[in-house]
Amino acid sequence: MATEILVPVLGESITEATLGEWLKQPGEAVAADEPVASLETDKVSVEVPAPAAGVMGQHAVKPGDTVNVGAMIGTIEAGDGAAAAPKAEAAPAAAPTPAPAPAPAEAAQQAPAPAEHVDAAALSPSVRRAILEHGVDPATIKGSGKDGRITKEDVVAAASAKSSAPAAPAPVPTPAAAAAAPAGDNRREERVRMTRLRQTIAKRLKDAQDTAALLTTFNDVDMTAVIEARTKYKDLFEKKHGVRLGFMGFFVKAACMALKDIPAVNASIEGDEIVYRDYADISVAVSAPQGLVVPVIRNAESLSVAGIEKTIGDFGKRAKDGTLKMEEMKGGTFTISNGGVFGSLMSTPIINPPQSAVLGLHRIEDRPVVRDGQVVVRPMMYLALSYDHRLIDGREAVTFLVALKNAIEDPTRLLIDL
């Protein structure tokens, strides 16, 4: 008897999701609680576990389809998977008029057929972009990711192997064939349905622009002291705490101190009231295969730099694995986004409602600056604070950035709360 695979409860107020991809194909053996499909919600990807052990039955929905909580999306049949293969092979033998085997030339032409089974919607955006950029057929790529999924690195490696392979001599076209060949036949387009996460990001960012009075204030910070401290203590830090010492730990700690001094930056508008908070739940933008996600470091003001780095490291790992939980993405009071890891020099980040401010970090680069009347080269970073001008005045925004700058340029302040 078949066991139905149902869409699980996805979280408070979430009633539907989009089927991202099937992790098990019909006929494959499935263990109890083994992930068989992934669902995309407004915030994260959620894996659907098998309700029982057996053999994967038919898929009731396709990748990209919208499904409601509690809906049946597939079945698990009785069996162990091994017995299913002979049964499938026996079907052609029982047919009264089996189709003739194709000639070798025809078989060679039919070889690329597996490309039909590579669903563009099941590939991450970065993988789809890489496939378009390198002109690689995804059916020829062997995925090295989880459950054989194709990664961006797989695409780059396939493109490199393709370019290094000797090219077959091109046949000389006849005049008639040359006249029939369309000009610019290397121009291609691809339409890919937006993921539910991307749709939600687009809506929330547009809502922020429509409702908040956005303004961005800039400053720069000399990273010399933090770089020296990190270089001096990174090995001891990793040995003691089991996590690498990065820059985000310093910035989160410095931001918490500045938020305590300038509480409006940590506040929000609710109706005709302003909500002030004596705690700092810092949302940290983390890159995931489906796009940026923003998990929250709860009570960051009470954590040490080591505690902050451990939390961020855990978020980053689980974002890549798609195992972040819904509740970990809600309720932040202030956001830090580090575009510098991608090479950004300067940007104007958009706030994450109902928050009232977001701090943008950027790349570190050597620039000439004046110190004690002398021009010297220092590792500098631009800081950008975007904020809701309805709540935060320019003076408060500038004061916040100066307090942050002072703490980063003199990390001792972080120890003595100055």
Side-chain angles (χ1 to χ4, degrees):
M1 181 177 178
T3 303
E4 294 184 343
I5 303 171
L6 305 180
V7 177
V9 176
L10 300 171
E12 183 181 356
S13 75
I14 298 178
T15 60
E16 63 179 23
T18 301
L19 182 69
E21 64 177 318
W22 282 104
L23 306 179
K24 288 291 184 178
Q25 299 303 318
E28 293 184 353
V30 178
D33 296 325
E34 182 180 6
V36 295
S38 68
L39 299 173
E40 294 179 355
T41 69
D42 293 348
K43 296 181 178 294
V44 294
S45 291
V46 178
E47 291 184 336
V48 181
V55 177
M56 186 69 209
Q58 295 302 311
H59 298 162
V61 295
K62 304 186 300 296
D65 288 352
T66 298
V67 293
N68 294 321
V69 171
M72 192 272 287
I73 60 174
T75 59
I76 300 294
E77 306 289 344
D80 58 7
K87 182 178 179 180
E89 293 173 2
T97 55
E106 295 175 355
Q109 292 177 353
Q110 295 173 3
E116 298 178 1
H117 301 292
V118 180
D119 192 335
L123 302 175
S124 70
S126 61
V127 171
R128 291 197 295 268
R129 284 195 297 270
I131 288 173
L132 290 175
E133 290 172 1
H134 295 285
V136 180
D137 183 355
T140 64
I141 303 174
K142 183 178 181 181
S144 62
K146 184 179 179 181
D147 296 324
R149 300 180 199 176
I150 298 175
T151 66
K152 182 178 178 181
E153 290 72 21
D154 295 332
V155 177
V156 174
S160 177
K162 178 181 177 182
S163 62
S164 61
V172 179
T174 64
D185 58 356
N186 61 338
R187 290 163 55 86
R188 293 181 297 172
E189 292 183 355
E190 180 187 14
R191 290 181 181 270
V192 179
R193 183 175 179 176
M194 289 177 68
T195 64
R196 183 171 292 272
L197 175 61
R198 177 53 58 186
Q199 293 177 40
T200 301
I201 291 172
K203 183 179 183 301
R204 289 177 63 84
L205 293 181
K206 187 57 181 173
D207 288 346
Q209 289 185 320
D210 291 341
T211 58
L214 293 178
L215 184 63
T216 303
T217 295
F218 298 94
N219 210 322
D220 62 2
V221 59
D222 187 339
M223 296 292 291
T224 300
V226 166
I227 291 175
E228 289 178 350
R230 182 172 180 267
T231 301
K232 183 176 181 179
Y233 296 112
K234 64 179 182 180
D235 292 337
L236 289 174
F237 185 90
E238 185 171 4
K239 182 178 180 180
K240 179 175 181 179
H241 300 291
V243 65
R244 295 180 59 188
L245 177 59
F247 295 122
M248 283 297 288
F250 291 98
F251 276 102
V252 171
K253 196 67 178 176
C256 289
M257 293 177 54
L259 291 173
K260 185 166 62 174
D261 293 340
I262 316 295
V265 181
N266 198 41
S268 63
I269 296 176
E270 293 186 7
D272 57 358
E273 296 179 333
I274 300 174
V275 180
Y276 292 97
R277 304 174 177 89
D278 64 355
Y279 59 89
D281 287 349
I282 307 298
S283 302
V284 181
V286 176
S287 181
Q290 297 80 14
L292 285 178
V293 293
V294 192
V296 180
I297 306 174
R298 309 288 179 187
N299 298 312
E301 80 287 349
S302 64
L303 296 178
S304 64
V305 171
I308 293 169
E309 290 289 359
K310 287 180 180 179
T311 304
I312 294 175
D314 177 61
F315 283 157
K317 180 179 183 300
R318 290 194 290 122
K320 292 179 180 178
D321 295 339
T323 57
L324 283 174
K325 299 178 181 178
M326 295 289 181
E327 55 269 23
E328 294 175 312
M329 319 282 282
K330 298 179 180 179
T333 63
F334 181 77
T335 295
I336 300 179
S337 178
N338 186 7
V341 297
F342 304 110
S344 171
L345 175 64
M346 187 179 293
S347 68
T348 54
I350 300 177
I351 64 173
N352 181 25
Q355 298 175 23
S356 298
V358 53
L359 176 68
L361 308 182
H362 301 89
R363 75 170 184 249
I364 302 170
E365 65 175 7
D366 289 340
R367 292 201 299 269
V369 295
V370 177
R371 296 287 185 268
D372 300 324
Q374 301 293 320
V375 177
V376 295
V377 175
R378 293 292 174 86
M380 304 297 293
M381 175 196 288
Y382 286 117
L383 305 176
L385 182 73
S386 290
Y387 54 96
D388 188 345
H389 209 353
R390 297 177 302 167
L391 173 60
I392 303 168
D393 295 329
R395 176 183 61 84
E396 293 170 315
V398 172
T399 304
F400 174 89
L401 279 180
V402 170
L404 186 76
K405 172 184 172 74
N406 290 338
I408 294 298
E409 292 185 344
D410 184 6
T412 304
R413 291 172 175 263
L414 300 176
L415 299 177
I416 60 178
D417 193 16
L418 184 60

